[in-house]
Amino acid sequence: MRIAAHGFEVDVPRGWDGEIYRRPGGLKPLGGPAEHTGAVVHLGNFPLPNSRGDYGSGAVEVMGPDGIFLSLFEFGPGSVGKALFRAEGLPTVTPEDFAPHTMQRPLPGQSGAQYFFSMRGRPFCLYVALGTHARRRQLVPEINQVLGSVSLSDT
Amino acid sequence: MTALLIVEGVAILLLAVLVVGLLRSHAEILRALHELGVRPDGDESQSASALRPRPRLGTEAPADIAGTTPAGSTVHIGVTGTDSRTLLAFLSTGCSSCLPLWESLQSEDPVTGLADTRLVVVTKGPEAESPSRLQQLAPRDATVVQATAAWDSYGVPVTPYFVLVEGATGDIVGEGSASTWAQVGSLILQATGDRDVGASGGELRADHELRRAGIGPGHPTLYPGNSSPERDEK
């Protein structure tokens, strides 16, 4: 089923949870412009808890051994053009990219991978967490299939 | 005088037809409500016992749900193709029978104690619900989705309405209306209990029939290609 918001469109596979949201802004400075808050896309092949962080804290803890969690996180305009985001377009994930220490908070058996890139001039981080590091070769094709359905428009 | 009597007679006849039509319509409404498990007399004890799981096993695949949250996010909830069961609670902000259910959700999780069961509250879309009322009623910790299409795809006949879906098979284990979470819990236990009994009963019947035919554990006919467990071990 395809969901769309904030310029993103993604095909969420059957049985997966997905959410597209914009991070709440802070207080608007007096006389200044409203704070720009980026869009965030969360996808998981397990029920995503309501309370979770932008990088999946609260969700990865309840992920099963075959669990996959994806976070596509947009950075603010201050990051546009920075060297970190020089790569263009969504990356293709490979099993070699995953390492247990790449988790935001290392959890036994799990592993993660992180990519920085730009799409349509917008800076992003893709963070992927796996329920079992040893199952990364089986899980990576599924991840790339989902990522292949993601599109971003200018809106 | 005769003409007046004829007119009066016709009027009485028309009124009689009208009354019969109204009574018939009333009876049909009562029958429909009864089939849905709703008791017009408002007796909760009878209402609870009238709740029955209405399995729709294998008839049509229930759908995952896509919609928006009260906070404005766009979401997709996986209902089928998962390892867990999902209890879909179809509630509305404008339905007076739903109010106690909304209020109880603020302080209790109705699926606590039910293994691998996830609660998803489904309201109609923003075009049919009050956004401010929904923000007041929707608990922070509950999954609430606004999705009018889900009401159509699950064929929700009344509000409130509950559907329990087995994620692994995509079967609707049970469905019905209830006015309290206790009744919903009873509905779930009955639906899952009936299903478990049915499953184990089926296995027992199969074992019984095999035994009657002289076929027990390890019988060669159970292992096509003569690869019985004993042979595999050698």
Side-chain angles (χ1 to χ4, degrees):
Chain A
M1 199 177 279
R2 197 159 180 84
I3 59 172
H6 307 303
F8 276 104
E9 280 192 44
V10 57
D11 278 329
V12 185
R14 183 171 162 263
W16 283 50
D17 270 19
E19 180 168 2
I20 306 174
Y21 63 96
R22 193 176 281 282
R23 284 177 294 121
L27 290 173
K28 181 183 169 186
L30 276 175
E35 184 193 349
H36 172 89
T37 57
V40 183
V41 182
H42 279 180
L43 297 162
N45 65 351
F46 60 99
L48 295 177
N50 291 308
S51 300
R52 58 182 193 276
D54 291 329
Y55 285 99
S57 59
V60 293
E61 290 85 349
V62 299
M63 183 164 62
D66 286 323
I68 297 171
F69 174 80
L70 303 174
S71 173
L72 196 52
F73 180 94
E74 182 182 9
F75 280 75
S79 301
V80 174
K82 295 267 175 74
L84 182 64
F85 301 96
R86 195 182 308 134
E88 182 60 37
L90 264 170
T92 300
V93 175
T94 67
E96 291 72 29
D97 299 336
F98 287 87
H101 65 262
T102 313
M103 297 290 293
Q104 291 291 311
R105 186 167 66 84
L107 292 166
Q110 297 191 1
S111 72
Q114 202 167 19
Y115 311 83
F116 295 90
F117 57 95
S118 294
M119 282 172 82
R120 293 186 173 269
R122 291 162 65 175
F124 287 99
C125 169
L126 169 67
Y127 173 67
V128 186
L130 303 179
T132 311
H133 181 66
R135 301 251 319 136
R136 61 194 183 283
R137 291 191 189 283
Q138 288 79 22
L139 298 174
V140 159
E142 209 172 343
I143 295 166
N144 284 323
Q145 191 177 346
V146 175
L147 289 177
S149 76
V150 174
S151 66
L152 179 66
S153 64
D154 287 329
T155 52
Chain B
M1 184 65 184
T2 310
L4 191 65
L5 283 173
I6 290 171
V7 169
E8 197 175 63
V10 169
I12 289 170
L13 190 67
L14 285 173
L15 282 171
V17 169
L18 185 68
V19 168
V20 169
L22 283 171
L23 287 172
R24 189 173 169 181
S25 163
H26 184 66
E28 282 175 2
I29 291 168
L30 285 177
R31 189 165 47 241
L33 286 171
H34 182 73
E35 283 171 4
L36 291 169
V38 177
R39 305 284 298 202
D41 53 14
D43 184 340
E44 285 210 358
S45 60
Q46 287 194 18
S47 184
S49 64
L51 281 173
R52 282 195 176 79
R54 299 196 299 140
R56 275 198 267 166
L57 306 181
T59 50
E60 54 191 87
D64 287 350
I65 292 174
T68 55
T69 67
S73 299
T74 299
V75 290
H76 176 280
I77 304 291
V79 177
T80 60
T82 70
D83 295 333
S84 56
R85 285 172 173 154
T86 304
L87 174 64
L88 299 171
F90 291 91
L91 304 181
S92 172
T93 53
C95 136
S96 57
S97 310
C98 299
L99 192 57
L101 295 161
W102 282 115
E103 288 173 347
S104 301
L105 272 180
Q106 303 284 352
S107 56
E108 64 176 298
D109 181 358
V111 294
T112 297
L114 296 168
D116 297 327
T117 303
R118 174 192 200 186
L119 173 69
V120 177
V121 178
V122 188
T123 71
K124 288 193 173 172
E127 77 287 350
E129 302 283 0
S130 160
S132 59
R133 187 78 179 122
L134 184 58
Q135 290 220 331
Q136 286 173 353
L137 293 172
R140 278 178 60 86
D141 296 332
T143 301
V144 180
V145 188
Q146 293 194 263
T148 304
W151 287 60
D152 297 333
S153 61
Y154 280 89
V156 177
V158 291
T159 314
Y161 201 71
F162 302 88
V163 180
L164 183 64
V165 183
E166 182 73 62
T169 60
D171 289 334
I172 291 181
V173 181
E175 60 182 324
S177 185
S179 55
T180 65
W181 287 113
Q183 288 179 6
V184 176
S186 162
L187 175 70
I188 293 172
L189 289 174
Q190 192 180 345
T192 53
D194 287 352
R195 187 184 170 94
D196 294 344
V197 167
S200 62
E203 286 169 13
L204 289 173
R205 275 197 300 276
D207 288 346
H208 180 67
E209 292 300 323
L210 286 169
R211 249 193 305 279
R212 278 184 59 187
I215 300 171
H219 195 277
T221 57
L222 295 174
Y223 304 95
N226 294 328
S227 57
S228 67
E230 290 80 7
R231 288 190 182 194
D232 287 344
E233 282 169 13
K234 291 172 189 171

